[in-house]
Amino acid sequence: MAFMCATGKHRKPGRVKRTTAQAAGIAALTTTGVIGTLAASPATAAENTAEQTGLTPVISVGDDIAEQIDAQAAAQQQAAEQKAAEEAAAKRAQEIRQARARAAREAERERLNAFVAPIAHSYVSTAYKASSSLWSSGSHTGIDFHAASGTPVHAVGVGTVVSTGWGGAYGNEIVIRMADGMYTQYGHLSSIGVTVGQQVTPGLQIGLSGATGNVTGPHLHFEARTAPDYGSDVDPVAYLRKHGVDV
């Protein structure tokens, strides 16, 4: 009597079907790059030599292959995290450099916009518009700062030297066109340390005080003007105070 194998859900799949399904799964893993070294594994070599039936060989993934896959994934993750950390550090360093550069530029702007007194640690010995026969106009066109001969004289702010040399009653003088369009004049100098066209900054030493010209003793005569020449004077104390200098 011939026995027939009943069909149904309890029937096990044949060897060929199981082998083909497993091989297809391994092929998918190989295609995605998960298993890159299976072709050279001992299990594959054994299947190639032992199976000569014409059926698709069965490849089984052992614990050692799984560990290699895990190690590779961990290494890739670590490399990605390290790259992200390096990029973040580089970005932070660039932000710090940019912030420092901005701070330096701002500090330089503040320095250039600041004004200083023409004579450090001094005081006004003769006020603006003081009356006396000593002056041809009958009144003082500037202010006098107390200073011994040879005391350093400083530019009060940013500007360009427009005139140097002998100024008649002013003796040796310097006139500077300021960045705000005004002019400052420094008279009775014993020495001149700048030249016409030179750029000056606040606090730069431009000469030494003295007693040249029409004077009764050494001091610095300082004027604020709307033009470079005599007769255009304004209150120098108000001008300096406007720019933050307490005189």
Side-chain angles (χ1 to χ4, degrees):
M1 172 184 278
F3 292 94
M4 301 294 293
C5 183
T7 61
K9 65 180 179 179
H10 298 296
R11 183 178 182 184
K12 296 181 179 180
R15 172 178 172 78
V16 173
K17 185 174 181 180
R18 291 196 308 273
T19 304
T20 302
Q22 293 173 350
I26 295 301
L29 292 175
T30 304
T31 302
T32 60
V34 175
I35 303 175
T37 59
L38 290 178
S41 66
T44 304
E47 283 295 323
N48 289 338
T49 57
E51 299 279 348
Q52 299 296 332
T53 62
L55 299 178
T56 303
V58 177
I59 304 175
S60 59
V61 180
D63 290 343
D64 57 339
I65 300 298
E67 290 176 357
Q68 292 179 23
I69 295 172
D70 291 343
Q72 182 180 8
Q76 291 174 347
Q77 178 66 22
Q78 183 179 6
E81 292 175 353
Q82 182 177 356
K83 182 179 179 181
E86 290 174 351
E87 290 176 349
K91 182 179 179 181
R92 179 57 179 162
Q94 182 179 13
E95 291 174 348
I96 292 174
R97 288 194 298 270
Q98 291 174 344
R100 288 176 177 172
R102 287 193 298 270
R105 289 193 297 270
E106 181 61 27
E108 181 64 8
R109 280 194 295 269
E110 290 180 359
R111 185 185 73 83
L112 294 177
N113 289 330
F115 271 54
V116 299
I119 300 286
H121 312 297
S122 184
Y123 59 89
V124 175
S125 57
T126 305
Y128 179 59
K129 293 300 183 182
S131 298
S132 174
S133 60
L134 293 173
W135 303 297
S136 59
S137 64
S139 64
H140 200 204
T141 54
I143 55 177
D144 291 342
F145 282 91
H146 175 78
S149 184
T151 302
V153 175
H154 307 284
V156 297
V158 173
T160 303
V161 178
V162 297
S163 176
T164 64
W166 188 256
Y170 290 113
N172 293 322
E173 67 169 3
I174 298 171
V175 178
I176 297 175
R177 186 181 190 278
M178 308 305 291
D180 62 2
M182 293 287 288
Y183 293 81
T184 54
Q185 184 245 16
Y186 311 77
H188 307 310
L189 303 174
S190 62
S191 175
I192 295 174
V194 290
T195 57
V196 173
Q198 181 175 337
Q199 302 293 311
V200 298
T201 55
L204 177 71
Q205 182 174 322
I206 58 175
L208 300 175
S209 64
T212 57
N214 185 17
V215 297
T216 58
H219 65 276
L220 172 70
H221 177 85
F222 176 80
E223 289 189 16
R225 299 173 174 177
T226 58
D229 301 320
Y230 171 83
S232 60
D233 54 278
V234 297
D235 186 353
V237 171
Y239 178 71
L240 290 175
R241 286 178 177 173
K242 177 183 176 181
H243 290 283
V245 181
D246 186 15
V247 294

